[in-house]
Amino acid sequence: MAASLSSTAGARLLGTLRSLGRGLHVTAACCKNRAARVRVGKGDRPLTYEEALPPHQIAHRKGWLSQHTGNLRGEEGTAERTVEDLFVRRFVFGTFHGCLANELVIKRRGNVLLVCALMLQKLQPQKFYFLIGYSETILSHLYKCPVKLEVQTLQDKAVYKYL
């Protein structure tokens, strides 16, 4: 436990702070978790199922977006897998710019890397097939393991609810 300041030491500390021309600002602690939450609006903002649920519902109502064995006890290489997943997400987002309807799900099964994606039908089918083959080839050469893209196409984004 920290020792409390005596009244003279506290007065000297505050006097020193005042002489510097800066004040001591104290705010109340906010113990709410606001990360990854969507703010309530006028009811005109469409949300997907993943966005609509709060982050503490992961593994209860919504799944993990990266599935691998790196988080088990005794396994090594979790940080490397996380960085690889981040690179794959950015690569696919840049390759299929404006076509992703939802977040990517990355699964590692043995030596195979599966990337599951929902895409909007904004490109011609020939371009989709070319970009899928291009992505699989580039990622397979980079990671030196087979990479497969499982793609489903949608006309419009799947809306779960409006906020």
Side-chain angles (χ1 to χ4, degrees), residues 13-88:
L13 178 64
L14 288 176
T16 306
L17 288 175
R18 285 186 190 137
S19 68
L20 291 175
R22 297 181 184 184
L24 177 65
H25 297 283
V26 180
T27 59
C30 182
C31 297
K32 293 179 87 174
N33 183 6
R34 295 183 183 184
R37 294 187 187 262
V38 180
R39 294 183 181 170
V40 177
K42 298 177 184 177
D44 56 348
R45 184 175 177 206
L47 294 177
T48 62
Y49 185 75
E50 293 285 330
E51 295 171 340
L53 294 175
H56 66 270
Q57 292 294 337
I58 293 176
H60 298 286
R61 293 186 191 164
K62 62 191 239 186
W64 299 97
L65 295 177
S66 179
Q67 297 176 358
H68 57 82
T69 60
N71 294 331
L72 297 176
R73 186 174 185 187
E75 288 290 324
E76 295 179 4
T78 304
E80 290 83 6
R81 288 187 184 110
T82 304
V83 171
E84 289 174 1
D85 289 352
L86 181 66
F87 177 78
V88 168

Side-chain angles (χ1 to χ4, degrees), residues 75-144:
E75 288 290 324
E76 295 179 4
T78 304
E80 290 83 6
R81 288 187 184 110
T82 304
V83 171
E84 289 174 1
D85 289 352
L86 181 66
F87 177 78
V88 168
R89 289 179 198 284
R90 287 188 178 184
F91 180 82
V92 172
F93 179 76
T95 305
F96 297 95
H97 186 69
C99 294
L100 287 176
N102 208 345
E103 291 288 325
L104 294 178
V105 177
I106 300 173
K107 301 176 184 178
R108 296 174 189 270
R109 293 183 184 160
N111 193 28
V112 180
L113 184 71
L114 294 172
V115 180
C116 305
L118 290 175
M119 304 272 185
L120 298 175
Q121 295 176 354
K122 290 187 174 181
L123 299 174
Q124 297 174 357
Q126 294 86 4
K127 288 186 181 180
F128 263 121
Y129 291 135
F130 171 75
L131 290 175
I132 289 170
Y134 166 77
S135 301
E136 287 179 350
T137 304
I138 294 293
L139 291 173
S140 294
H141 283 289
L142 285 175
Y143 291 120
K144 297 179 177 48

